[in-house]
Amino acid sequence: MESSLRYGGDSKSLRIHAKEMYPIATDSNTLLQLHGELDTRLGAPTYLSAMIRHFYPDRESQGAAELNWIIFNFKKDQDLRFKVGYEVVDKIPYFQIKENNWTFNADGKGKWNVRYDL
């Protein structure tokens, strides 16, 4: 299960996020996806979904140029990763700073978020 604590500039509240995918057929391309988010300010779910997804071979073009710099043992038991990239199709620059479980993401459109992976 993917789970994380998230805070974004657009919401101004801490959210608990969880997502899990289960194969539902012998075909590994068909999955049941459960996805939800709880807003701690409201004390209520802000997003719930259950869907069956089938993944077809990707026909859309995507591309990005990225530079990564990883510093292992920056401090004792602490790794840092810096990522700077450019999404070619949407023409959006972005960057990421990741320290063990904490991640800060931002892009050229002014969107940003902070994430803690559980």
Side-chain angles (χ1 to χ4, degrees), residues 26-101:
T26 57
D27 177 9
S28 63
N29 291 334
T30 304
L31 304 169
L32 170 64
Q33 178 179 307
L34 303 173
H35 192 185
E37 193 170 81
L38 176 70
D39 188 316
T40 58
R41 182 174 51 95
L42 301 173
T46 53
Y47 182 80
L48 292 172
S49 85
M51 67 180 86
I52 295 176
R53 299 185 73 178
H54 183 78
F55 294 93
Y56 295 98
D58 192 12
R59 291 169 192 90
E60 293 184 26
S61 298
Q62 292 182 353
E66 291 183 349
L67 295 172
N68 287 299
W69 182 30
I70 301 172
I71 304 170
F72 294 107
N73 290 324
F74 177 73
K75 290 188 177 178
K76 186 179 179 187
D77 296 327
Q78 181 184 34
D79 298 334
L80 285 178
R81 181 177 75 186
F82 299 95
K83 182 190 295 186
V84 176
Y86 185 77
E87 210 322 301
V88 177
V89 175
D90 295 329
K91 299 179 181 161
I92 300 172
Y94 59 90
F95 76 94
Q96 179 184 81
I97 300 171
K98 182 171 178 78
E99 179 273 332
N100 293 353
N101 293 351

Side-chain angles (χ1 to χ4, degrees), residues 9-23:
D10 55 345
S11 68
K12 303 291 187 213
S13 65
L14 183 67
R15 298 176 320 256
I16 301 169
H17 179 267
K19 179 169 76 170
E20 183 68 45
M21 289 194 223
Y22 301 99

